[in-house]
Amino acid sequence: MGKLLVTGATGHLGRLTLQGLLDRVPANRLAGLARDPSRATDLADRGVDIRQGDYFDHHSLVEAFADVDRLLLVSTHAFTDRETQHANVIAAAKQAGVRHVIYTAVQRRDDSDARQIGVTDSDIFTENTLKASGLTYTILRQPLFAEHLGAHIGTDAYENGVRVPEGDGTVAPATRHDLAAANVAVLTQDGHENTAYTLSGGEAASFRDIADALTEIHGSEVPYLPITAEEKTNDHLAQGLPREAAEFMTSWVTEIAGGSFGANTDDLHRLIGRRPTSYREFLAQNYPRLTPEQPEPPVTTRDLLDGEYVPSPDRTTRDQVELYERTDGREGATMMGGPVVIVTMRGARSGKLRKVALMRIERDGVYAIGASAGGQARNPSWFHNLIANPTVQLQDGPDRTLMTARVAEGAERESWLAHADELYPFFADMRARAADDREIPLVLLEPTEHPA
């Protein structure tokens, strides 16, 4: 009996799928594909055969797919030549003798001309290529990840409302955990051959419904505030996203509001054998109830670095840092769809404390931060602060730790960049935008025993 192989083994969905498979299938039947197998040692330690392969390297894929019966093709990121990468996987699977390929696409309406930029056309190409290959196929069309809700409604919804382009279209977001469970079902069961499923979470909602749910959870009104698509894009640009990424993010909420994600089926429920997590449940778990009967705890200063703190002149940064610290990371904890940490440092010139929210990239207790500045020509000011004063405080949730900063170089840098790109695909785009002017520094933060 051939192996079950999951691509993207070090990504969120691939890792969750392999973890779910370990509860159902002997480890010696499982394989995972990773560009850097050293980042999947936890799975290898449990008996999963982690194989090196890159979607752009056809030969590596053919070798990695040897003795594989069923293969989960986790779709790659937008704006990365998805068509070439997915075609390579399908061709290599056929050449290696794989029998059944399962593909994770993004939900869409076949009766609509609407296009999710960077995704829809390449999904259609991949599905058609897979169907024409002669391989047995299953297509899993996924909705918005519940984990990405924060990127679309903003980290400041309690303060400023749900600001999105107007529309009454709905989406039923699903958690990665539930979608991974569907992957497990199709990989381990018969009866899903040559079928396409549209997966939906436990309950559909418009952005107006989401604002109402946050009002109920929060205990005070969270208004629904329609804005133009241009205003939404400008919000993302103000957070440092390149224009292409900002427009990509805006297109998600525009398509949702316009009805492109309105299909609400019971396919996910039937595949996993239980009711999927609803958006209300997800929000309740991630937006703690704050009511007059449950007052917010007072702010306490627990900085591990001594000195006068000077808040950022940028309102978005200043407000997010304040919210994150005030709630120990329960709120204000995401940016551009991913989690953040708060880094406190000394100003290179003033010596006063500065704070900034940065994307959370962590591995084995070491954190990496990219000095991307949205792909601008100059390094951000905080990078110069770290070079001048490398002892910093890092806050990850409620925990604050003294860290020492250093710039990653060579193979170490490349390994961390691969990790960062899997977490935040737009980071590669930022590096490309800056390439004519500078190489974006990657700074590692390692625990230090004594403050400087």
Side-chain angles (χ1 to χ4, degrees), residues 198-216:
T198 297
L199 307 183
S200 306
E203 184 180 3
S206 66
F207 284 108
R208 190 187 303 273
D209 296 329
I210 289 172
D212 291 342
L214 287 176
T215 294
E216 181 180 344

Side-chain angles (χ1 to χ4, degrees), residues 222-234:
V222 177
Y224 166 70
L225 302 172
I227 60 176
T228 66
E230 182 180 2
E231 288 174 308
K232 189 65 175 178
T233 296
N234 287 336

Side-chain angles (χ1 to χ4, degrees), residues 23 161 319 335 371 387 391 449:
D23 294 331
D319 290 352
M335 180 191 299
I387 296 301
T391 297
E449 295 183 1

Side-chain angles (χ1 to χ4, degrees), residues 251-263:
S251 72
W252 276 91
V253 291
T254 301
E255 293 299 328
I256 290 169
S260 294
F261 287 79

